[in-house]
Amino acid sequence: MARRKHTKPRKGSSAPFPFLRLPAEIRIQIYGLCLVDGDVVFAPPLSTNHKHYTPDKLFVYDGGFSPAISLFSVNKQISREAAEVFYSMNEFVFAIQPVMAERSQEEYRVGDRVLVHPPAYGLVCVEDNFSALAPTYCRMIKECRVWIDLPPYSLGRDFRSAFLHCKAEVACFAAVFNGKEHELESIAVRLRNPWSHEWLQYSLVRSFQNVAEPLATIHGVKKEIVFEGSSAAFTAKMCTAMKSSAILCAPKEDVYKTRMITRNGRKRDERYSTETYYETKFDWLEADREVEVKALGWRNDEEAEKP
């Protein structure tokens, strides 16, 4: 085999700049100039496929700034350092929304009468981007927004399926932050019904609050918590739980009963839950106690005694 000849660099050619030899503070400033813009909010694309997206798949939600995503492909060290700057210094939007489609007008006959079913909206699927980012990157985020959309009650059974799906996805999103092991400093939650002329129907407030309730398991948020579209009492309770140093809401124990049903001419026992699907799944006694403790000016509910 012929040996490769090692050619010497030509005169006048410059060697690669030793970027990694720079102090870490200077490298972070360079990453900030390439990846951060204060007026830009990033949002992963909404889809029904629960897969993680790389930074080059993120699109700009507001503004025309394009980050230098090629830094994530240089080497492991630069990719790790650039990811910490990109996810911690930018703001991200996470959203979940049902996809609606207008059903055509239908005619059907009942005896001698012809009834017409007017056009209406039907549920197609539920899209979200809660699982678009890997858990490691999610825990680096310091500022984020969460938009939760629910369809109107007029969907009937489709509303229940959309409600349960949205609540399960929100719970999985909250579990990604793994309690207090995150860098989250501020979070803004917006509850809305885009299919209504009003901001939010009063009849949907309870259901929306129940969907957003799993976010209370994210405790240790350092600065700001904002809730839009919810009652004042629910907002105060959620802010208290999310700013606390330990989780203040424990899962409630499900209560089941058994009833006799007849199906296909056969009788059998069926086990059912005594609670409706939109009721709370948490025990908020500890959160209510801490609200009372703070209102009375106590230091904490373990060491402080009532004056």
Side-chain angles (χ1 to χ4, degrees):
M1 295 178 61
R3 296 183 179 179
R4 293 182 179 180
K5 296 182 179 180
H6 298 281
T7 58
K8 297 181 180 180
R10 297 179 180 178
K11 294 182 179 180
S13 63
S14 58
F17 180 77
F19 179 75
L20 294 178
R21 295 181 183 178
L22 294 174
E25 295 81 3
I26 297 180
R27 295 202 304 268
I28 291 176
Q29 293 181 6
I30 296 175
Y31 296 142
L33 294 174
C34 298
L35 299 171
V36 180
D37 188 358
D39 298 332
V40 177
V41 179
F42 292 87
L46 298 176
S47 67
T48 56
N49 300 323
H50 296 161
K51 63 179 182 179
H52 300 322
Y53 286 88
T54 54
D56 59 328
K57 299 297 183 181
L58 297 172
F59 67 91
V60 178
Y61 171 77
D62 186 14
F65 175 74
S66 297
I69 56 177
S70 57
L71 288 173
F72 296 94
S73 304
V74 179
N75 57 40
K76 290 184 178 181
Q77 181 176 351
I78 293 180
S79 177
R80 182 177 64 255
E81 295 175 351
E84 293 179 358
V85 174
F86 179 72
Y87 290 106
S88 63
M89 296 187 180
N90 286 310
E91 188 175 6
F92 292 84
V93 174
F94 297 94
I96 184 168
Q97 63 180 12
V99 179
M100 309 288 290
E102 187 176 0
R103 296 174 178 173
S104 60
Q105 179 174 312
E106 299 178 357
E107 296 183 0
Y108 56 96
R109 184 178 297 275
V110 178
D112 297 335
R113 301 175 59 187
V114 177
L115 303 179
V116 178
H117 192 280
Y121 285 97
L123 179 67
V124 177
C125 61
V126 177
E127 293 183 342
D128 67 274
N129 60 358
F130 286 156
S131 57
L133 299 181
T136 304
Y137 297 144
C138 282
R139 299 188 189 106
M140 296 180 183
I141 296 176
K142 292 186 178 181
E143 297 182 5
C144 73
R145 306 177 190 176
V146 180
W147 294 352
I148 301 176
D149 296 350
L150 278 184
Y153 274 132
S154 58
L155 288 180
R157 294 182 178 179
D158 287 345
F159 174 82
R160 177 174 180 175
S161 62
F163 172 89
L164 296 175
H165 185 95
C166 291
K167 186 173 183 179
E169 293 298 331
V170 172
C172 293
F173 172 74
V176 166
F177 287 88
N178 195 15
K180 199 179 177 181
E181 297 179 5
H182 58 80
E183 299 296 330
L184 198 60
E185 294 183 353
S186 63
I187 179 173
V189 182
R190 187 172 72 174
L191 312 176
R192 65 172 188 165
N193 178 17
W195 292 273
S196 175
H197 296 291
E198 302 176 359
W199 174 253
L200 186 63
Q201 297 176 359
Y202 179 78
S203 58
L204 285 174
V205 171
R206 183 177 180 182
S207 299
F208 271 79
Q209 292 178 169
N210 189 266
V211 170
E213 196 177 39
L215 295 175
T217 58
I218 307 175
H219 58 278
V221 180
K222 301 175 179 62
K223 293 183 180 179
E224 185 180 12
I225 301 173
V226 178
F227 273 82
E228 298 180 6
S230 61
S231 63
F234 178 80
T235 301
K237 184 168 61 174
M238 293 290 292
C239 291
T240 302
M242 297 178 73
K243 285 187 176 181
S244 63
S245 58
I247 189 168
L248 297 181
C249 53
K252 292 176 62 176
E253 184 178 356
D254 295 330
V255 180
Y256 294 93
K257 289 186 178 180
T258 304
R259 60 188 172 189
M260 182 70 67
I261 64 170
T262 302
R263 184 168 297 175
N264 298 330
R266 296 182 180 180
K267 293 184 177 182
R268 64 182 181 88
D269 294 334
E270 183 186 50
R271 191 166 176 259
Y272 69 97
S273 176
T274 58
E275 297 180 352
T276 55
Y277 67 93
Y278 55 81
E279 290 186 0
T280 178
K281 294 293 183 182
F282 294 111
D283 186 0
W284 286 93
L285 294 178
E286 296 181 5
D288 295 338
R289 179 176 174 81
E290 180 158 322
V291 171
E292 181 183 1
V293 166
K294 289 184 178 180
L296 294 176
W298 297 348
R299 290 173 298 176
N300 56 56
D301 45 354
E302 291 184 359
E303 301 176 359
E305 297 180 357
K306 187 174 180 180

